Amino acid sequence: MLPMRPELLKGHLDALLLAVLEPGPQHGYAVIEALRTGSDGALDLPTGTVYPALHRLERAGLIASDWHTVGGRRRRAYHLTPAGHAALGEQRAVWDQFSTAVTALLARRPWPSTA
Amino acid sequence: MLPMRPELLKGHLDALLLAVLEPGPQHGYAVIEALRTGSDGALDLPTGTVYPALHRLERAGLIASDWHTVGGRRRRAYHLTPAGHAALGEQRAVWDQFSTAVTALLARRPWPSTA
DNA sequence: CCCTATAGGTAGTATCGCAAAGTATTGCGA
DNA sequence: TCGCAATACTTTGCGATACTACCTATAGGG
């Protein structure tokens, strides 16, 4: 599996984080694992990417957090706010449109096909 | 059609430009139109995005250009180099992997589905 | 004569994912 | 018991790059 160029994520990370949190509250570390396993290993994001992104989403009011202590370890569990649910819906639509457009353009092959 | 957030393109623009140039030489302005029409209007990129990107690709040796004059207007026609063809192949693979991963993660719905 | 479309260009800004480093705790193995 | 891995969170600073805004120039239609 080729290492994915970093910049590819730009602008799509928020949608992924919201999607991971949609089924229920998760703490940061678990989010990272969910992204890795849910993408078959393709998205193995460093903590320096995910934690600041979660802070950003919280500042934006799309997620909220509560501190817990489990087995002596402090955990911060994030969950979607109503605004976050709404944003996720929009982001899915945006992704559909974007990925459809890119896929269509990349699929264009030299042979004139139907011409 | 919602205006697409700028950062979404990050890292994917090069692949799109290479794909547009694959069938044959195009000048910058035509590339912009190809992106717009080929994406059903979803990708309407400003010249300040496309021209510098083309310069970048040329510096990187993935495309090359020749100047022409057509009807009194100076045009710079770009075409893929062998390295550009190879890069396009890799970029398509990267896009497939990336879009598959993102689509899978965004498709996850709360309902347990097969559980 | 101006305005639009065509065709190209640059400078500066802002965003944001990442690398790197740090703090703590638990628990395992040597 | 000492050290190390895994768990869990945080922050600073950097680099890459798409965009805004602006500029030049020609052809052609109103």
Side-chain angles (χ1 to χ4, degrees), chain A residues 9 26 30 43 62 65 67 101 107 112:
Chain A
L9 254 191
Q26 301 281 332
L43 293 172
L62 303 184
S65 64
W67 283 98

Side-chain angles (χ1 to χ4, degrees), chain A residues 9-21:
Chain A
L9 254 191
K10 281 270 164 126
H12 305 290
L13 178 56
D14 293 2
L16 294 175
L17 295 178
L18 294 175
V20 165
L21 293 177

Side-chain angles (χ1 to χ4, degrees), chain A residues 51-63:
Chain A
Y51 287 118
L54 289 171
H55 300 336
R56 205 164 55 224
L57 289 175
E58 187 164 32
R59 273 200 311 277
L62 303 184
I63 62 179

